[in-house]
Amino acid sequence: MSEWLALAIAMAASVLVVVAVVVLRQRRVGEDDDPSETPDVIEYITMMIGVVYAIVLGLAIAGVWEARSAAQDEVLNEAQALHEVSARAEVYPADFRARVRGDVDAYVTFVVNTEWDHMRENGEISPRGTELLAKLRQDVASRAPQSDLEAQVYQPVMDRIAAADESRNTRGQSTGPTMPGVVWFGLIVGAVVTVGMVFALQIRRSPRELILAGTFSALIAFLLFLIWDFDDPFGRGVSVSTQPFLDLFPSLL
């Protein structure tokens, strides 16, 4: 089942639950019930619960979006660092230049074609990718500079490899859900309480009130889905992509 289909089902289910509760509740209400008699304190409490929960939802969305953006930036930094290594290898002799660029291409190809799926399935980066990057580092580090130009390029190339390694490790730490379970507990309980407080206002089953209640519950379901989708930067629908690698290494497509 696709995530968007799951979202549609969750939103529809939330609307149906609210509408069903309102209809069943109204059938049990006596003829002398007067909705205008809702105490003012209930309206005040309902408003405050909605405001507090809106703040919590906003902070949660901002947090997962920031984590996703940071993960995307690290992917761009990793790809840019490897692109610099490949470009700076121009100063080396043809055989060693081909070796370095071959190491870079092998690593990028593995990351794009294999490791991304491995991260989604296992929640961690692949040991094979670590080996390929270590091979690139070893090949560059084991060759002594043969000229002044190579000596000037040696340290910048090593720095770029170190930067790629750092971004890779950060990518590994960002793999998997980032939202603590206790936060999810608060979000779900808060959603139940917030939607439940609608019934404290003695909502009736008029079309206007049912539409408003259903829309409100569907909005809550959508926002919770949005947080859940952003919570795993590499594993869900709106996930971090490999586009920076594809843009900087178009020959590997």
Side-chain angles (χ1 to χ4, degrees):
M1 181 185 297
S2 69
E3 294 177 358
W4 294 107
L5 178 59
L7 170 62
I9 294 175
M11 294 177 66
S14 64
V15 173
L16 289 176
V17 168
V18 171
V19 172
V21 171
V22 171
V23 173
L24 292 175
R25 180 173 176 270
Q26 284 296 310
R27 288 182 178 179
R28 300 170 62 92
V29 173
E31 296 294 336
D32 58 345
D33 179 67
D34 185 4
S36 63
E37 295 181 354
T38 301
D40 293 338
V41 67
I42 292 182
E43 296 182 357
Y44 175 77
I45 292 175
T46 302
M47 179 187 68
M48 292 306 300
I49 289 176
V51 170
V52 171
Y53 189 63
I55 294 174
V56 173
L57 277 178
L59 291 175
I61 293 175
V64 294
W65 177 257
E66 183 179 357
R68 181 191 179 280
S69 298
Q72 185 70 70
D73 290 341
E74 289 299 334
V75 172
L76 177 59
N77 293 337
E78 182 181 359
Q80 183 62 46
L82 292 169
H83 178 71
E84 287 292 326
V85 171
S86 183
R88 292 173 186 268
E90 184 67 29
V91 303
Y92 293 117
D95 56 342
F96 188 72
R97 179 172 65 245
R99 183 178 177 183
V100 171
R101 289 178 173 173
D103 289 343
V104 173
D105 292 348
Y107 174 78
V108 172
T109 301
F110 176 81
V111 168
V112 172
N113 296 333
T114 304
E115 187 167 54
W116 231 252
D117 293 333
H118 178 86
M119 290 191 302
R120 291 175 178 173
E121 296 172 0
N122 301 282
E124 61 181 6
I125 56 177
S126 170
R128 177 57 180 165
T130 304
E131 294 174 2
L132 291 173
L133 189 59
K135 182 178 183 301
L136 171 62
R137 188 198 300 269
Q138 181 179 6
D139 287 344
V140 175
S142 62
R143 184 181 189 278
Q146 304 296 316
S147 65
D148 291 340
L149 184 58
E150 289 186 19
Q152 294 175 7
V153 170
Y154 174 81
Q155 191 57 51
V157 169
M158 292 299 296
D159 290 342
R160 292 292 85 199
I161 295 176
D165 190 25
E166 181 180 359
S167 295
R168 172 182 173 78
N169 291 332
T170 303
R171 172 160 59 86
Q173 295 172 1
S174 301
T175 303
T178 58
M179 188 79 72
V182 65
V183 177
W184 273 116
F185 176 79
L187 289 173
I188 294 174
V189 171
V192 173
V193 172
T194 303
V195 175
M197 286 301 294
V198 172
F199 303 112
L201 298 176
Q202 300 187 31
I203 182 174
R204 293 173 293 179
R205 55 179 180 178
S206 66
R208 180 179 60 182
E209 289 173 306
L210 288 180
I211 290 174
L212 290 175
T215 303
F216 178 71
S217 60
L219 176 62
I220 295 295
F222 172 75
L223 292 176
L224 289 176
F225 172 84
L226 198 64
I227 295 172
W228 174 81
D229 204 31
F230 286 159
D231 186 31
D232 189 347
F234 294 96
R236 293 181 182 140
V238 190
S239 62
V240 175
S241 69
T242 59
Q243 195 60 43
F245 289 104
L246 301 178
D247 292 340
L248 294 174
F249 297 91
S251 60
L252 302 181
L253 295 178

Short mmCIF file of all heavy atoms in Angstrom, two decimals, residues 74 76-89 100 104 107 133 136-137 140 152-168 248:
data_model
loop_
_atom_site.label_atom_id
_atom_site.label_comp_id
_atom_site.label_asym_id
_atom_site.label_seq_id
_atom_site.Cartn_x
_atom_site.Cartn_y
_atom_site.Cartn_z
N GLU A 74 23.72 17.56 3.69
CA GLU A 74 24.88 16.67 3.85
C GLU A 74 25.09 15.82 2.61
O GLU A 74 26.23 15.54 2.23
CB GLU A 74 24.68 15.79 5.08
CG GLU A 74 24.80 16.52 6.41
CD GLU A 74 26.17 17.16 6.61
OE1 GLU A 74 27.17 16.68 6.03
OE2 GLU A 74 26.24 18.18 7.32
N LEU A 76 24.37 16.77 -0.43
CA LEU A 76 24.97 17.69 -1.39
C LEU A 76 26.45 17.91 -1.08
O LEU A 76 27.29 17.92 -2.00
CB LEU A 76 24.22 19.03 -1.36
CG LEU A 76 24.77 20.14 -2.26
CD1 LEU A 76 24.79 19.71 -3.71
CD2 LEU A 76 23.96 21.42 -2.09
N ASN A 77 26.80 18.06 0.19
CA ASN A 77 28.20 18.25 0.57
C ASN A 77 29.03 17.02 0.20
O ASN A 77 30.18 17.15 -0.26
CB ASN A 77 28.31 18.52 2.07
CG ASN A 77 27.70 19.85 2.47
OD1 ASN A 77 27.58 20.76 1.64
ND2 ASN A 77 27.32 19.98 3.72
N GLU A 78 28.48 15.85 0.42
CA GLU A 78 29.20 14.62 0.09
C GLU A 78 29.45 14.52 -1.41
O GLU A 78 30.56 14.21 -1.85
CB GLU A 78 28.39 13.41 0.57
CG GLU A 78 29.05 12.08 0.34
CD GLU A 78 28.20 10.91 0.81
OE1 GLU A 78 27.09 11.17 1.36
OE2 GLU A 78 28.63 9.75 0.64
N ALA A 79 28.41 14.79 -2.19
CA ALA A 79 28.56 14.72 -3.64
C ALA A 79 29.53 15.78 -4.15
O ALA A 79 30.37 15.51 -5.03
CB ALA A 79 27.19 14.90 -4.30
N GLN A 80 29.47 16.99 -3.59
CA GLN A 80 30.36 18.07 -4.02
C GLN A 80 31.81 17.75 -3.68
O GLN A 80 32.72 18.01 -4.48
CB GLN A 80 29.94 19.38 -3.36
CG GLN A 80 30.76 20.59 -3.79
CD GLN A 80 30.63 20.89 -5.27
OE1 GLN A 80 29.53 20.89 -5.81
NE2 GLN A 80 31.74 21.15 -5.93
N ALA A 81 32.04 17.18 -2.51
CA ALA A 81 33.40 16.82 -2.11
C ALA A 81 34.00 15.78 -3.06
O ALA A 81 35.16 15.89 -3.48
CB ALA A 81 33.42 16.31 -0.67
N LEU A 82 33.21 14.78 -3.41
CA LEU A 82 33.70 13.75 -4.33
C LEU A 82 33.90 14.31 -5.73
O LEU A 82 34.85 13.91 -6.43
CB LEU A 82 32.70 12.59 -4.36
CG LEU A 82 32.60 11.79 -3.06
CD1 LEU A 82 31.41 10.84 -3.10
CD2 LEU A 82 33.88 11.01 -2.80
N HIS A 83 33.05 15.23 -6.13
CA HIS A 83 33.24 15.88 -7.43
C HIS A 83 34.55 16.66 -7.46
O HIS A 83 35.27 16.66 -8.47
CB HIS A 83 32.06 16.81 -7.70
CG HIS A 83 32.18 17.56 -9.00
ND1 HIS A 83 32.05 16.95 -10.23
CD2 HIS A 83 32.42 18.87 -9.25
CE1 HIS A 83 32.19 17.86 -11.18
NE2 HIS A 83 32.43 19.03 -10.61
N GLU A 84 34.88 17.32 -6.35
CA GLU A 84 36.15 18.06 -6.27
C GLU A 84 37.34 17.12 -6.35
O GLU A 84 38.35 17.43 -6.98
CB GLU A 84 36.19 18.85 -4.96
CG GLU A 84 35.28 20.07 -4.93
CD GLU A 84 35.75 21.14 -5.90
OE1 GLU A 84 36.98 21.29 -6.08
OE2 GLU A 84 34.89 21.83 -6.47
N VAL A 85 37.24 15.97 -5.70
CA VAL A 85 38.32 14.97 -5.78
C VAL A 85 38.54 14.55 -7.22
O VAL A 85 39.69 14.48 -7.71
CB VAL A 85 38.00 13.76 -4.90
CG1 VAL A 85 39.01 12.63 -5.13
CG2 VAL A 85 37.99 14.15 -3.43
N SER A 86 37.44 14.25 -7.91
CA SER A 86 37.54 13.83 -9.30
C SER A 86 38.13 14.94 -10.18
O SER A 86 38.94 14.67 -11.08
CB SER A 86 36.16 13.42 -9.82
OG SER A 86 36.24 12.93 -11.13
N ALA A 87 37.76 16.19 -9.91
CA ALA A 87 38.25 17.30 -10.72
C ALA A 87 39.73 17.58 -10.44
O ALA A 87 40.52 17.83 -11.36
CB ALA A 87 37.43 18.55 -10.45
N ARG A 88 40.12 17.55 -9.15
CA ARG A 88 41.51 17.85 -8.80
C ARG A 88 42.47 16.74 -9.21
O ARG A 88 43.69 16.95 -9.25
CB ARG A 88 41.62 18.09 -7.29
CG ARG A 88 40.93 19.36 -6.82
CD ARG A 88 40.93 19.46 -5.30
NE ARG A 88 40.17 20.60 -4.82
CZ ARG A 88 40.68 21.80 -4.57
NH1 ARG A 88 41.98 22.01 -4.77
NH2 ARG A 88 39.92 22.79 -4.14
N ALA A 89 41.95 15.56 -9.53
CA ALA A 89 42.81 14.46 -9.98
C ALA A 89 43.40 14.73 -11.35
O ALA A 89 44.25 13.96 -11.82
CB ALA A 89 42.01 13.16 -10.00
N VAL A 100 41.98 7.05 -9.60
CA VAL A 100 41.26 7.85 -8.60
C VAL A 100 39.82 8.09 -9.05
O VAL A 100 38.87 7.90 -8.27
CB VAL A 100 41.97 9.20 -8.38
CG1 VAL A 100 41.11 10.13 -7.53
CG2 VAL A 100 43.33 8.98 -7.71
N VAL A 104 36.19 6.97 -7.34
CA VAL A 104 35.07 7.89 -7.07
C VAL A 104 33.81 7.41 -7.77
O VAL A 104 32.72 7.37 -7.16
CB VAL A 104 35.43 9.33 -7.53
CG1 VAL A 104 34.21 10.24 -7.42
CG2 VAL A 104 36.58 9.88 -6.70
N TYR A 107 32.27 4.38 -6.07
CA TYR A 107 31.59 4.72 -4.82
C TYR A 107 30.24 5.39 -5.11
O TYR A 107 29.22 5.01 -4.51
CB TYR A 107 32.47 5.65 -3.99
CG TYR A 107 31.78 6.17 -2.74
CD1 TYR A 107 31.64 5.39 -1.61
CD2 TYR A 107 31.24 7.46 -2.71
CE1 TYR A 107 30.99 5.86 -0.48
CE2 TYR A 107 30.59 7.94 -1.58
CZ TYR A 107 30.47 7.13 -0.47
OH TYR A 107 29.83 7.60 0.64
N LEU A 133 34.91 3.92 -0.03
CA LEU A 133 35.46 5.23 0.29
C LEU A 133 36.84 5.09 0.93
O LEU A 133 37.74 5.90 0.67
CB LEU A 133 34.52 5.98 1.23
CG LEU A 133 34.86 7.44 1.49
CD1 LEU A 133 34.89 8.23 0.19
CD2 LEU A 133 33.86 8.07 2.46
N LEU A 136 39.39 4.63 -1.82
CA LEU A 136 39.75 5.91 -2.44
C LEU A 136 40.77 6.65 -1.56
O LEU A 136 41.78 7.16 -2.07
CB LEU A 136 38.50 6.76 -2.63
CG LEU A 136 38.72 8.21 -3.06
CD1 LEU A 136 39.39 8.28 -4.42
CD2 LEU A 136 37.39 8.98 -3.07
N ARG A 137 40.51 6.69 -0.26
CA ARG A 137 41.43 7.38 0.64
C ARG A 137 42.81 6.72 0.63
O ARG A 137 43.84 7.40 0.59
CB ARG A 137 40.86 7.36 2.06
CG ARG A 137 41.66 8.22 3.05
CD ARG A 137 41.32 7.82 4.48
NE ARG A 137 39.91 8.01 4.77
CZ ARG A 137 39.39 9.13 5.27
NH1 ARG A 137 40.17 10.15 5.53
NH2 ARG A 137 38.11 9.21 5.51
N VAL A 140 44.84 7.45 -2.69
CA VAL A 140 45.40 8.80 -2.75
C VAL A 140 46.51 8.98 -1.73
O VAL A 140 47.56 9.56 -2.02
CB VAL A 140 44.29 9.85 -2.53
CG1 VAL A 140 44.88 11.25 -2.46
CG2 VAL A 140 43.25 9.78 -3.64
N GLN A 152 50.98 20.31 -4.05
CA GLN A 152 50.01 21.34 -3.69
C GLN A 152 48.59 20.78 -3.68
O GLN A 152 47.74 21.23 -2.91
CB GLN A 152 50.10 22.50 -4.69
CG GLN A 152 51.41 23.26 -4.62
CD GLN A 152 51.52 24.32 -5.70
OE1 GLN A 152 50.56 24.58 -6.43
NE2 GLN A 152 52.68 24.94 -5.82
N VAL A 153 48.32 19.78 -4.51
CA VAL A 153 46.98 19.23 -4.62
C VAL A 153 46.73 18.14 -3.59
O VAL A 153 45.57 17.90 -3.20
CB VAL A 153 46.77 18.67 -6.05
CG1 VAL A 153 45.49 17.85 -6.16
CG2 VAL A 153 46.75 19.81 -7.06
N TYR A 154 47.78 17.50 -3.10
CA TYR A 154 47.63 16.33 -2.23
C TYR A 154 46.74 16.61 -1.01
O TYR A 154 45.76 15.90 -0.77
CB TYR A 154 49.01 15.84 -1.78
CG TYR A 154 48.95 14.72 -0.78
CD1 TYR A 154 48.74 13.41 -1.18
CD2 TYR A 154 49.10 14.97 0.59
CE1 TYR A 154 48.68 12.38 -0.26
CE2 TYR A 154 49.03 13.95 1.52
CZ TYR A 154 48.83 12.65 1.09
OH TYR A 154 48.77 11.64 2.01
N GLN A 155 47.07 17.65 -0.24
CA GLN A 155 46.32 17.91 0.99
C GLN A 155 44.87 18.34 0.71
O GLN A 155 43.95 17.87 1.39
CB GLN A 155 47.03 18.97 1.83
CG GLN A 155 46.46 19.10 3.24
CD GLN A 155 46.48 17.79 4.00
OE1 GLN A 155 47.52 17.12 4.06
NE2 GLN A 155 45.34 17.41 4.57
N PRO A 156 44.62 19.21 -0.27
CA PRO A 156 43.22 19.54 -0.58
C PRO A 156 42.38 18.32 -0.97
O PRO A 156 41.21 18.22 -0.60
CB PRO A 156 43.32 20.55 -1.72
CG PRO A 156 44.65 21.20 -1.52
CD PRO A 156 45.54 20.11 -1.02
N VAL A 157 42.99 17.40 -1.72
CA VAL A 157 42.26 16.18 -2.11
C VAL A 157 41.95 15.34 -0.87
O VAL A 157 40.83 14.84 -0.71
CB VAL A 157 43.07 15.37 -3.14
CG1 VAL A 157 42.44 13.99 -3.34
CG2 VAL A 157 43.13 16.11 -4.47
N MET A 158 42.93 15.20 0.01
CA MET A 158 42.69 14.44 1.24
C MET A 158 41.62 15.11 2.10
O MET A 158 40.80 14.43 2.73
CB MET A 158 43.99 14.29 2.02
CG MET A 158 45.04 13.40 1.35
SD MET A 158 44.46 11.70 1.11
CE MET A 158 44.24 11.17 2.81
N ASP A 159 41.64 16.44 2.12
CA ASP A 159 40.62 17.17 2.89
C ASP A 159 39.23 16.93 2.30
O ASP A 159 38.25 16.79 3.05
CB ASP A 159 40.92 18.66 2.89
CG ASP A 159 42.15 19.01 3.73
OD1 ASP A 159 42.56 18.17 4.56
OD2 ASP A 159 42.70 20.11 3.54
N ARG A 160 39.12 16.89 0.98
CA ARG A 160 37.83 16.64 0.34
C ARG A 160 37.34 15.22 0.62
O ARG A 160 36.14 14.99 0.81
CB ARG A 160 37.94 16.85 -1.18
CG ARG A 160 38.18 18.29 -1.62
CD ARG A 160 36.96 19.15 -1.35
NE ARG A 160 36.92 19.68 0.01
CZ ARG A 160 35.86 20.15 0.62
NH1 ARG A 160 34.69 20.14 0.01
NH2 ARG A 160 35.91 20.61 1.84
N ILE A 161 38.25 14.27 0.64
CA ILE A 161 37.86 12.89 0.97
C ILE A 161 37.39 12.82 2.42
O ILE A 161 36.40 12.15 2.74
CB ILE A 161 39.04 11.93 0.72
CG1 ILE A 161 39.39 11.89 -0.77
CG2 ILE A 161 38.68 10.52 1.21
CD1 ILE A 161 40.60 11.04 -1.09
N ALA A 162 38.10 13.53 3.31
CA ALA A 162 37.68 13.56 4.72
C ALA A 162 36.31 14.21 4.86
O ALA A 162 35.48 13.77 5.67
CB ALA A 162 38.72 14.31 5.55
N ALA A 163 36.06 15.26 4.09
CA ALA A 163 34.75 15.92 4.14
C ALA A 163 33.65 14.99 3.64
O ALA A 163 32.55 14.95 4.21
CB ALA A 163 34.78 17.20 3.30
N ALA A 164 33.93 14.22 2.58
CA ALA A 164 32.95 13.25 2.09
C ALA A 164 32.68 12.18 3.13
O ALA A 164 31.54 11.76 3.32
CB ALA A 164 33.45 12.62 0.78
N ASP A 165 33.73 11.74 3.80
CA ASP A 165 33.58 10.73 4.84
C ASP A 165 32.74 11.26 6.00
O ASP A 165 31.87 10.57 6.55
CB ASP A 165 34.96 10.29 5.34
CG ASP A 165 34.88 9.07 6.24
OD1 ASP A 165 33.91 8.29 6.14
OD2 ASP A 165 35.79 8.89 7.07
N GLU A 166 32.98 12.51 6.38
CA GLU A 166 32.20 13.12 7.46
C GLU A 166 30.73 13.24 7.08
O GLU A 166 29.84 12.93 7.89
CB GLU A 166 32.77 14.49 7.79
CG GLU A 166 32.04 15.21 8.93
CD GLU A 166 32.63 16.57 9.23
OE1 GLU A 166 33.62 16.96 8.56
OE2 GLU A 166 32.10 17.26 10.13
N SER A 167 30.46 13.68 5.85
CA SER A 167 29.07 13.78 5.40
C SER A 167 28.42 12.41 5.32
O SER A 167 27.23 12.26 5.62
CB SER A 167 29.02 14.47 4.03
OG SER A 167 29.47 15.80 4.11
N ARG A 168 29.21 11.41 4.94
CA ARG A 168 28.67 10.05 4.89
C ARG A 168 28.27 9.57 6.29
O ARG A 168 27.20 8.97 6.47
CB ARG A 168 29.70 9.11 4.28
CG ARG A 168 29.31 7.64 4.35
CD ARG A 168 30.39 6.73 3.79
NE ARG A 168 30.05 5.34 4.04
CZ ARG A 168 29.16 4.66 3.33
NH1 ARG A 168 28.51 5.25 2.34
NH2 ARG A 168 28.89 3.40 3.62
N LEU A 248 26.00 15.98 -10.35
CA LEU A 248 27.45 16.19 -10.42
C LEU A 248 28.18 15.06 -11.15
O LEU A 248 29.33 15.24 -11.56
CB LEU A 248 28.01 16.34 -9.00
CG LEU A 248 27.56 17.60 -8.26
CD1 LEU A 248 28.05 17.58 -6.82
CD2 LEU A 248 28.06 18.85 -8.97
#
